[in-house]
Amino acid sequence: MMQADVIQWLENSLGSPVPSGEAALLDWLTDYCNDLLVHDFPRLVQLLYRVDVPEARLKATLAAAGGEDAGRIMASLMLERVEQIVRVRKQYTRPGKDIPEEDKW
């Protein structure tokens, strides 16, 4: 199940609304990556770096994929990484209630 936090993170990073269903999101992100691959490669590279997709893993996955859709591979790796980012941020974010009132800004 796709978390609302993942959707929100992607919308904030991409600056546009994204579908909320997991399959629909993967299809949309695949199309988005393929469009960037053809029309705006520097922006695709910037997105991959912003999401922090490991370059070595991306290269290895693309090389091993053969004729598989490169956009789908990149979209899958991006979604996997965004899920990790959201999970880690939740794990290390302290709720506002734990901060003493005098320490709040």
Side-chain angles (χ1 to χ4, degrees):
M1 182 168 98
M2 189 59 55
Q3 298 175 0
D5 294 333
V6 171
I7 302 295
Q8 182 180 4
W9 194 97
L10 284 169
E11 287 180 341
N12 291 340
S13 293
L14 299 175
S16 65
V18 298
S20 59
E22 192 168 350
L25 178 59
L26 181 58
D27 290 341
W28 182 87
L29 196 53
T30 297
D31 292 341
Y32 187 76
C33 287
N34 280 327
D35 184 61
L36 290 178
L37 187 62
V38 172
H39 298 105
D40 196 353
F41 186 72
R43 189 169 174 195
L44 175 62
V45 172
Q46 179 186 25
L47 177 60
L48 290 166
Y49 278 110
R50 187 178 337 141
V51 176
D52 196 27
V53 173
E55 185 177 351
R57 182 165 180 218
L58 176 62
K59 285 181 180 181
T61 306
L62 287 170
E68 195 174 335
D69 185 359
R72 177 140 329 253
I73 293 168
M74 289 183 273
S76 296
L77 290 174
M78 279 194 267
L79 285 176
E80 182 181 309
R81 182 63 184 124
V82 170
E83 288 172 351
Q84 290 173 351
I85 291 168
V86 168
R87 188 172 46 251
V88 168
R89 285 186 182 170
K90 275 187 168 186
Q91 183 179 357
Y92 291 103
T93 300
R94 295 191 308 194
K97 296 175 184 173
D98 293 341
I99 301 172
E101 194 61 40
E102 64 272 1
D103 291 340
K104 290 184 181 178
W105 294 33

